[in-house]
Amino acid sequence: IDAVKNSSRDGKQIEHNISVRKISVSDYGDIMALMSNQKIHRFTVNGSHLASADAGEIIHVMEITSGEMLVTGGSRGIISIRTLHDLKVQGEIDLSSHGQIQCMEFSSFTTNPTQQYLFIGSSDGFVSVVMEPSRRLEILNSSMSTLGLWN
């Protein structure tokens, strides 16, 4: 979408020059579109507009998790986690000390069906691995038990 024209009953036409930069589609058919004006929009497959939010930065990566959250990262060096329903930010991971977020990938379904690992590449070449907090505790408990340090 590079140009959209709207017209009214009085014959006036308005042309919008906003292009889609990124698109992500959920398992349920929700379409997330990042526009050139850094607004995120949620649409149904039929094109009905459901929600929108200002990203507040230049977005470089945008993914939908298996848990139906929208995860974005960009020029501020912060990963934002939003609910798909209303696109409100539920949490952030600050990696700004490593520069901009350049790429991001969840662990694959074949190796890890819960997508609990998130790999994030920053502009300084640093790669961060983020794990779901309850899973970290589970791994720690298992390791401590194996070493005989926990009952």
Side-chain angles (χ1 to χ4, degrees):
I1 303 173
D2 281 321
V4 176
K5 286 188 178 183
N6 291 339
S7 58
S8 63
R9 290 182 187 181
D10 64 1
K12 292 181 184 174
Q13 290 190 356
I14 300 171
E15 185 171 331
H16 307 276
N17 289 318
I18 298 175
S19 59
V20 175
R21 298 290 182 212
K22 298 194 180 312
I23 289 184
S24 291
V25 181
S26 77
D27 292 342
Y28 299 103
D30 289 311
I31 299 168
M32 302 298 153
L34 174 67
M35 310 307 277
S36 59
N37 63 357
Q38 299 310 312
K39 298 265 187 198
I40 302 169
H41 296 278
R42 176 178 169 229
F43 297 95
T44 65
V45 244
N46 298 329
S48 296
H49 187 261
L50 300 174
S52 63
D54 186 347
E57 68 176 323
I58 297 170
I59 297 293
H60 298 298
V61 291
M62 183 171 80
E63 298 284 336
I64 296 175
T65 70
S66 59
E68 296 300 302
M69 302 293 276
L70 180 68
V71 181
T72 60
S75 60
R76 294 185 310 139
I78 294 175
I79 295 290
S80 296
I81 303 159
R82 301 170 183 270
T83 53
L84 284 186
H85 174 73
D86 56 9
L87 299 176
K88 292 202 183 305
V89 175
Q90 299 300 308
E92 293 183 327
I93 302 169
D94 187 351
L95 299 172
S96 59
S97 62
H98 299 291
Q100 298 183 21
I101 305 298
Q102 296 296 321
C103 57
M104 158 177 88
E105 188 69 38
F106 286 96
S107 53
S108 78
F109 282 111
T110 55
T111 59
N112 193 338
T114 60
Q115 281 188 323
Q116 64 193 9
Y117 299 104
L118 175 60
F119 301 89
I120 305 161
S122 301
S123 59
D124 69 351
F126 193 80
V127 175
S128 301
V129 180
V130 179
M131 181 190 303
E132 193 263 318
S134 65
R135 180 68 179 133
R136 283 191 303 219
L137 183 59
E138 189 179 309
I139 290 171
L140 175 65
N141 284 335
S142 174
S143 297
M144 297 302 267
S145 293
T146 302
L147 294 172
L149 302 173
W150 249 214
N151 291 339

